Amino acid sequence: MSEVYSTLNEISRRFDKDDLVLLAKHPDLCFTINSYELFSHHVFNRVKRQNPDKEIKQEEKCIVIQSEESAESLHLYPTWKTIEKRADLEAREEINHAIDLLASCECKHIYLLFPRSENFRKHVLIRSEKLDDLGIEYTLKLVPYTIY
């Protein structure tokens, strides 16, 4: 269990709403929540629960889903970045990193997960000339992920 999740659990048990308001207004106290880590933890737990027949591992930056019947794995990269208008432009840095990973043949299938927003509701398949020229079989998608 992640340290952030444990801390939030503990805070919710020990403090009520009035205590949190007091903490938030106190000038000498600061409390930070790592949104990326919480989002990654949420995605990992949900994927694990929805895929009991598959091996799910959480690595440093990604979640790896390995099926028994296939040697290929799916790499999920949760990213705590809100897509406002155009996913392919706003996620350019993440896409370029994924293309580099695919080109190095570290993996064949990558899904970049972003929190679902008003303008980002559907999967976006990404094609890369660089990878197509190399003749690599790959899957690269931007995926809106619902948090509930």
Side-chain angles (χ1 to χ4, degrees):
M1 185 177 303
S2 77
E3 187 176 315
V4 171
Y5 181 77
S6 300
T7 303
L8 286 177
N9 242 356
E10 192 63 30
I11 288 171
S12 67
R13 279 201 309 264
R14 292 181 183 224
F15 295 96
D16 64 11
K17 183 178 79 167
D18 295 330
D19 292 330
L20 291 175
V21 169
L22 177 67
L23 280 174
K25 291 181 179 178
H26 197 284
D28 296 328
L29 297 175
C30 174
F31 137 42
T32 304
I33 297 173
N34 186 333
S35 302
Y36 163 75
E37 191 170 329
L38 286 174
F39 183 56
S40 295
H41 183 74
H42 169 72
V43 170
F44 176 76
N45 285 338
R46 195 160 152 206
V47 167
K48 193 151 179 85
R49 187 174 56 249
Q50 291 174 343
N51 298 285
D53 59 327
K54 297 183 176 148
E55 181 183 344
I56 316 290
K57 294 185 291 187
Q58 185 151 19
E59 296 183 357
E60 186 177 332
K61 296 283 185 189
C62 71
I63 298 166
V64 180
I65 302 173
Q66 182 68 51
S67 177
E68 288 180 9
E69 54 271 356
S70 173
E72 297 177 359
S73 57
L74 173 61
H75 293 245
L76 306 177
Y77 283 85
T79 305
W80 188 253
K81 180 179 186 179
T82 304
I83 302 295
E84 298 295 332
K85 294 184 179 170
R86 291 222 20 218
D88 58 335
L89 296 177
E90 294 178 45
R92 181 58 41 204
E93 184 179 325
E94 291 83 359
I95 292 169
N96 288 337
H97 179 69
I99 288 172
D100 291 342
L101 288 172
L102 292 165
S104 69
C105 297
E106 288 185 36
C107 54
K108 290 178 90 172
H109 309 286
I110 294 179
Y111 286 5
L112 301 174
L113 308 177
F114 296 88
R116 185 176 172 177
S117 66
E118 189 175 314
N119 294 321
F120 183 52
R121 297 182 169 278
K122 295 182 180 179
H123 290 218
V124 177
L125 182 65
I126 303 294
R127 299 304 305 169
S128 164
E129 284 185 32
K130 176 182 176 180
L131 297 174
D132 292 339
D133 290 346
L134 291 172
I136 296 173
E137 179 187 327
Y138 68 96
T139 306
L140 177 56
K141 284 186 180 182
L142 304 180
V143 178
Y145 205 83
T146 306
I147 304 171
Y148 57 88

